[in-house]
Amino acid sequence: MIQRKRIGDLLIEAGLLTQEQLNTALEEQKTLKKRLGDLLVLKNYVTEQQIIETLEIQLGVSYVQINHLEMDPKIIALIPQKLAERQKVLPIRIEGNKLIVAMNDPLDYFAIDELRMTTGMNITPVITSKDELERAIARYYGFQESVDQIVKRLEERELDDPAMLQDEVYSPVVKTVNQIIEQAVSIGASDIHFDPQEDSLRIRYRVDGVLRTEKKLPSHMQKVISARVKIMAQLDIAERRLPHDGRVELTVLNRKIDIRISTLPTMYGEKIVMRILDSSNKNNKIANLGFTDHNLSRFKQSIDSAYGMVVIVGPTGSGKTTTLYSALTHLNSEEVNIVTIEDPVEYQLLGINQVQVNPGPGLTFAKGLRSLLRQDPDIAMVGEMRDVETAEISVRAAMTGHLVLSTLHANNSINAITRLIDMGVEPFLVASSLVCVVAQRLVRRVCRECGQDHDPTPEERQWFQDNGIPVEKLRRGTGCIRCSQTGYKGRMAIHEVLVLDDTLRSMILQRRADTDYREYAATKGLVPIMVDGLHKVAQGQTTLQEVLRVTV
């Protein structure tokens, strides 16, 4: 039996918390109604990993990674779902008359007593992380029930009933799709992939830019899952031979979420990708985008220009739209008229006029941009320059007194110049309109919980020496519960900011080689994107492997 101590006292004994910090947290707990451990982590007094390690050492409570366990549904059924969700507990195995229960707070004796009375068994708590526990509860309660019901009703052929794909309360198909989305949002996934295989339907989440398989469902569930997703996006469920694009807005875990849906016919059924757009990201400040002071100064000076064109370049998923929206938020005021044309409008910004491209009736980027320029805009944002017509209208608008912000698919800032010319835009238009090009990539951050300093290897040290960056220690994550054993948690951007001057403009008119542009830009303060990444590696924010993964 666990000795009845408070978590605060144990952390003080371990030297991780002061009495003053504990008193402050206890005082705030009276009004915030949060668990003490959650409040201590929220106030950055301790980390969740430190709490877990303290309970392991001081009380001998075992730590268990439940995301690596295969649970027996019969054991899960010993504790009702509502009790598990309310007390944040999950039964994992039976040893004699003991029920081993995963908890985030094994010192919650009221919860232990309630579990003992409910199950009639002695309760032995083990500890796991809060996020891991919440995901497991969502996964094992309800989700498995929905899967079982779908399989059963498939066998009974009840899924021919249209209500099975639309009933928000009773349909197991609806419940399953909703739970897949909820789990993706809870772990911070940016995309959900439904991949039909020969023998299964694979569910994969993209977290911090990396795909990982979360579940595998029976292959014969593919059609009903696909149909439900298409109904959500108001797409034609009968047409399975052509790709579809749609959109749906949901409230998930008390957050407003926009989901872009894309379907693609494959050999084994329709592959579906759901892009999750969290509206909490739409008002990012420029200072929070990861720019160094040098690059931030150059970027802000460029977007504060009265006219000209600022272009953000990088591959799909490199955070270009987030940077654009942050720039618009910075520029937005009652004194200026900002109009955007986008495909799609990812986030709705207060006080900004946003236009959605609609090729069906003929509202293309080019046509919309022409109309946009008759709306007396001070600032125009073009979601992407995809063709020469859109690019030419954009650069001409930038030459005639408008500030134009846009994106372009190019490898780096210098390459954006030749990309525009190769598209068919005349060099004199590029030279006259272009003010600044920002190239960016997203790299994963070293996990704050498990990050540790280490000596650079000879190969790593060589990278820094070749680029003139002093380094003594590097940092990497060893893997923990918070980062799902990856060593990384969250992402940040690395940048390359090219600001054009008169000399560079004359070089563009001469159609010089990219190497000439880069050599000159380096003398004027251009920091290559890889070097910017190396500086952030030297600061312990990310790793050399991450920077090389996205730049080389």
Side-chain angles (χ1 to χ4, degrees):
M1 181 66 183
I2 292 178
Q3 184 181 356
R4 300 208 167 208
K5 286 189 177 184
R6 297 187 308 173
I7 182 64
D9 297 331
L10 293 173
L11 291 169
I12 290 175
E13 289 177 16
L16 298 172
L17 190 71
T18 66
Q19 186 65 52
E20 183 181 357
Q21 289 173 326
L22 177 59
N23 293 339
T24 301
L26 289 171
E27 192 65 31
E28 291 189 20
Q29 188 184 25
K30 295 176 184 177
T31 55
L32 295 178
K33 306 298 183 183
K34 285 181 173 288
R35 293 174 186 263
L36 180 60
D38 293 343
L39 192 56
L40 294 173
V41 173
L42 184 66
K43 294 181 69 63
N44 290 321
Y45 288 160
V46 293
T47 65
E48 187 177 18
Q49 185 73 19
Q50 288 174 324
I51 292 177
I52 289 173
E53 290 174 356
T54 299
L55 293 173
E56 280 191 281
I57 295 170
Q58 300 279 61
L59 301 179
V61 181
S62 300
Y63 162 65
V64 175
Q65 284 185 282
I66 53 179
N67 62 342
H68 291 165
L69 299 178
E70 287 293 331
M71 306 294 190
D72 185 343
K74 294 179 181 177
I75 294 177
I76 296 292
L78 293 173
I79 296 179
Q81 180 176 350
K82 289 184 178 179
L83 175 59
E85 292 174 341
R86 176 165 50 83
Q87 296 291 9
K88 297 291 186 291
V89 298
L90 186 75
I92 57 176
R93 66 178 183 274
I94 295 175
E95 295 179 357
N97 193 38
K98 291 181 183 177
L99 179 62
I100 313 301
V101 178
M103 306 177 68
N104 181 237
D105 182 6
L107 297 176
D108 188 343
Y109 305 111
F110 293 107
I112 292 173
D113 288 342
E114 186 175 1
L115 293 173
R116 184 184 299 112
M117 289 187 291
T118 300
T119 63
M121 304 178 73
N122 293 324
I123 305 299
T124 299
V126 294
I127 191 169
T128 191
S129 74
K130 181 182 177 182
D131 288 346
E132 196 173 348
L133 187 57
E134 288 178 346
R135 291 201 299 269
I137 291 172
R139 183 185 309 137
Y140 291 108
Y141 284 101
F143 182 81
Q144 191 59 48
E145 177 188 2
S146 297
V147 173
D148 292 343
Q149 288 183 38
I150 291 176
V151 174
K152 181 180 178 182
R153 296 193 184 192
L154 275 171
E155 293 169 353
E156 297 171 357
R157 301 181 181 276
E158 290 184 16
L159 285 172
D160 292 337
D161 181 358
M164 288 300 299
L165 299 175
Q166 301 185 50
D167 193 312
E168 298 287 343
V169 178
Y170 299 107
S171 170
V173 182
V174 175
K175 287 174 64 178
T176 298
V177 172
N178 288 348
Q179 287 160 10
I180 289 172
I181 295 172
E182 284 180 13
Q183 187 175 356
V185 172
S186 72
I187 64 175
S190 61
D191 300 87
I192 306 171
H193 287 241
F194 295 82
D195 291 338
Q197 307 291 306
E198 185 176 7
D199 57 351
S200 65
L201 175 63
R202 185 170 56 169
I203 312 297
R204 295 194 293 170
Y205 295 150
R206 187 179 294 279
V207 181
D208 292 337
V210 178
L211 275 172
R212 69 187 197 204
T213 299
E214 189 69 20
K215 302 177 179 69
K216 287 187 178 180
L217 304 180
S219 58
H220 50 269
M221 291 175 59
Q222 184 272 324
K223 287 185 179 179
V224 290
I225 295 288
S226 173
R228 171 55 193 166
V229 172
K230 290 166 77 173
I231 285 174
M232 292 171 64
Q234 298 183 340
L235 301 175
D236 183 1
I237 64 172
E239 180 55 78
R240 302 190 184 101
R241 299 165 299 174
L242 297 174
H244 295 276
D245 291 295
R247 186 172 189 160
V248 62
E249 187 177 287
L250 302 172
T251 299
V252 181
L253 303 179
N254 298 317
R255 288 152 62 185
K256 190 175 179 181
I257 301 294
D258 281 339
I259 300 178
R260 283 161 46 188
I261 296 171
S262 172
T263 74
L264 182 70
T266 70
M267 287 183 62
Y268 300 113
E270 290 178 287
K271 173 179 170 59
I272 298 175
V273 176
M274 306 177 79
R275 168 66 56 88
I276 299 171
L277 303 171
D278 189 343
S279 58
S280 63
N281 295 330
K282 69 182 180 183
N283 291 321
N284 270 347
K285 294 182 178 179
I286 295 177
N288 299 333
L289 295 178
F291 283 103
T292 61
D293 291 341
H294 172 73
N295 283 338
L296 179 61
S297 172
R298 289 158 67 89
F299 181 57
K300 288 183 70 173
Q301 183 179 357
S302 299
I303 63 173
D304 286 334
S305 301
Y307 59 90
M309 186 162 67
V310 177
V311 180
I312 317 294
V313 304
T316 301
S318 59
K320 299 188 298 296
T321 302
T322 299
T323 301
L324 272 185
Y325 277 38
S326 299
L328 290 178
T329 301
H330 170 78
L331 295 167
N332 192 15
S333 70
E334 291 185 359
E335 289 77 31
V336 294
N337 177 25
I338 303 177
V339 187
T340 76
I341 180 158
E342 308 170 61
D343 184 23
V345 174
E346 294 198 1
Y347 302 118
Q348 296 177 13
L349 302 177
L350 187 65
I352 293 177
N353 306 287
Q354 296 172 270
V355 178
Q356 167 74 55
V357 167
N358 188 356
L363 181 54
T364 61
F365 268 113
K367 189 170 183 178
L369 185 53
R370 285 196 189 93
S371 299
L372 179 156
L373 294 174
R374 293 194 288 269
Q375 292 287 315
D376 185 32
D378 299 289
I379 300 167
M381 192 270 270
V382 183
E384 184 181 346
M385 291 186 289
R386 298 178 179 175
D387 54 68
V388 63
E389 187 178 12
T390 305
E392 280 194 345
I393 299 170
S394 299
V395 298
R396 290 184 187 277
M399 292 170 59
T400 55
H402 305 90
L403 176 64
V404 178
L405 308 179
S406 190
T407 69
L408 186 69
H409 284 286
N411 292 327
N412 53 59
S413 60
I414 299 296
N415 182 242
I417 297 172
T418 51
R419 175 85 177 93
L420 284 169
I421 294 172
D422 290 343
M423 285 174 67
V425 182
E426 291 293 338
F428 80 90
L429 291 176
V430 177
S432 302
S433 62
L434 202 54
V435 172
C436 173
V437 183
V438 178
Q440 67 178 56
R441 301 286 190 279
L442 293 179
V443 295
R444 291 181 291 174
R445 289 181 180 271
V446 172
C447 177
R448 187 173 67 90
E449 298 275 357
C450 63
Q452 294 182 358
D453 291 340
H454 68 96
D455 293 324
T457 65
E459 293 81 6
E460 289 174 329
R461 198 177 294 277
Q462 190 65 48
W463 277 100
F464 291 95
Q465 288 177 353
D466 291 346
N467 289 279
I469 301 173
V471 63
E472 293 298 326
K473 294 284 186 181
L474 298 180
R475 196 165 181 81
R476 65 180 168 218
T478 57
C480 67
I481 50 177
R482 184 170 181 265
C483 63
S484 301
Q485 306 303 318
T486 63
Y488 299 99
K489 184 68 175 178
R491 287 192 290 176
M492 64 184 297
I494 57 176
H495 302 93
E496 176 178 289
V497 181
L498 173 69
V499 177
L500 282 79
D501 61 10
D502 290 341
T503 302
L504 196 51
R505 296 182 202 283
S506 67
M507 293 173 68
I508 294 173
L509 292 174
Q510 299 166 26
R511 303 192 70 161
R512 301 276 286 274
D514 281 8
T515 52
D516 294 339
Y517 298 144
R518 183 166 291 281
E519 287 174 6
Y520 172 75
T523 67
K524 294 297 181 179
L526 176 71
V527 178
I529 191 168
M530 190 180 76
V531 175
D532 184 61
L534 291 177
H535 280 292
K536 290 168 181 174
V537 174
Q539 294 164 6
Q541 298 181 65
T542 186
T543 64
L544 178 62
Q545 290 74 20
E546 271 297 287
V547 172
L548 295 181
R549 179 177 68 86
V550 300
T551 60
V552 177

